[in-house]
Amino acid sequence: MPAPSHLALRQGIIDICREMNSSGLNQGTSGNVSHRIDGGMLITPTSLPYDQMQPEDIVEMSFDASYEGRRMPSSEWRFHRDILKNRTDANVVLHTHSVFSTTLAVHEKGIPCFHYMVAVAGGIDIRCAPYACFGTQELSDYALEALEGRTACLLGHHGLIVLAENFARAMWRAIEVEVLAKMYVHALAIGEPPRLTEAEMTRVMEQMRRMSYGQAPDIDGVDDTPRPRNVA
Ligand code: 13P
């Protein structure tokens, strides 16, 4: 048998699936992962335990929903397809049933700007999409709407979706969102926490954008960016 195409990406999908379970971000066969390829995506097969998954099990699917491979694609291929088609800023779609994100989602609650790190999802809050049955076009439509201008959203009575440019960023963002959800659930135990203002969140987003470039002066106008000592 010839080696399947996109071998490194297939293995990358398997690795991130195993990491999301071993890190406690997900459990069992819940969740699914896709990566953009030319004209379509590679996506996890439905209901296959991640520790049994082999590169040949990853399904190659075109945006017209035709697919190749020995397995059926994830039941959530619609939202993976629709997100990758519409969000050219993302190459990876990661869906998990992370416990704290889902705890909020079962209350149909998103994550407001109670903490500055909420900006890691690209905006002033992380929305929760209304409930729709798994695997439906309705769920995909709701998810796409909740993701507008964002790189993460919760799915009502269901879980979490994260978008990113690569596997490492997807894992990083998913962990950050799950930790925010955990903090928010804990904070709610002593009442709804106060929120940062929209202006402050805009400042945080600007600070994050600048810092990711690594060189730009600080937003206070003082260029105190750390520099290695041996560079003139
Ligand atoms: P699949 O195994 O079909 O990907 O479904 C898991 C899931 O989390 C559905 O939302």
Side-chain angles (χ1 to χ4, degrees):
M1 258 248 316
S5 60
H6 310 290
L7 195 55
L9 286 182
R10 286 169 187 266
Q11 191 58 52
I13 289 177
I14 295 170
D15 292 346
I16 194 174
C17 286
R18 291 180 181 163
E19 194 183 341
M20 76 184 183
N21 276 22
S22 65
S23 66
L25 196 60
N26 190 69
Q27 48 286 313
T29 58
S30 293
N32 25 71
V33 179
S34 62
H35 194 292
R36 177 188 302 283
I37 53 172
D38 203 22
M41 63 188 175
L42 294 171
I43 186 165
T44 44
T46 188
S47 335
L48 186 69
Y50 299 125
D51 58 356
Q52 292 174 26
M53 215 172 266
Q54 298 302 314
E56 296 79 7
D57 294 317
I58 303 299
V59 182
E60 188 171 335
M61 192 175 208
S62 301
F63 285 143
D64 68 5
S66 58
Y67 72 91
E68 251 174 57
R70 64 187 189 189
R71 303 274 181 190
M72 298 252 297
S74 165
S75 55
E76 302 295 14
W77 63 266
R78 285 185 177 81
F79 72 62
H80 287 267
R81 188 258 323 253
D82 294 346
I83 292 168
L84 290 172
K85 246 178 113 170
N86 286 281
R87 292 291 298 265
T88 48
D89 55 321
N91 292 319
V92 175
V93 179
L94 177 66
H95 167 55
T96 66
H97 292 185
S98 307
V99 173
F100 285 94
S101 298
T102 308
T103 300
L104 293 172
V106 299
H107 281 281
E108 302 176 1
K109 247 176 141 35
I111 308 178
C113 47
F114 78 108
H115 190 289
Y116 80 91
M117 280 293 280
V118 166
V120 297
I124 63 162
D125 58 6
I126 298 169
R127 303 184 191 103
C128 181
Y131 173 77
C133 180
F134 82 99
T136 60
Q137 187 58 46
E138 194 183 14
L139 178 63
S140 177
D141 294 346
Y142 286 154
L144 211 56
E145 205 178 316
L147 284 165
E148 211 176 311
R150 305 284 187 275
T151 49
C153 75
L154 308 185
L155 298 176
H157 304 272
H158 188 155
L160 166 68
I161 296 179
V162 162
L163 320 186
E165 50 278 39
N166 58 45
F167 292 126
R169 292 284 285 175
M171 198 63 198
W172 165 77
R173 185 164 289 129
I175 288 171
E176 293 298 345
V177 173
E178 176 63 0
V179 168
L180 284 164
K182 185 174 182 175
M183 289 171 180
Y184 187 44
V185 167
H186 283 306
L188 284 170
I190 50 172
E192 186 70 56
R195 296 176 187 186
L196 296 170
T197 61
E198 208 170 316
E200 182 54 24
M201 287 301 286
T202 304
R203 186 177 140 104
V204 168
M205 283 183 267
E206 178 64 6
Q207 179 79 321
M208 283 183 174
R209 192 186 65 77
R210 284 169 182 250
M211 284 191 161
S212 72
Y213 296 145
Q215 327 257 12
D218 192 78
I219 55 170
D220 303 325
V222 182
D223 186 359
D224 55 0
T225 311
R227 289 179 185 78
R229 280 207 189 101
N230 54 355
V231 173

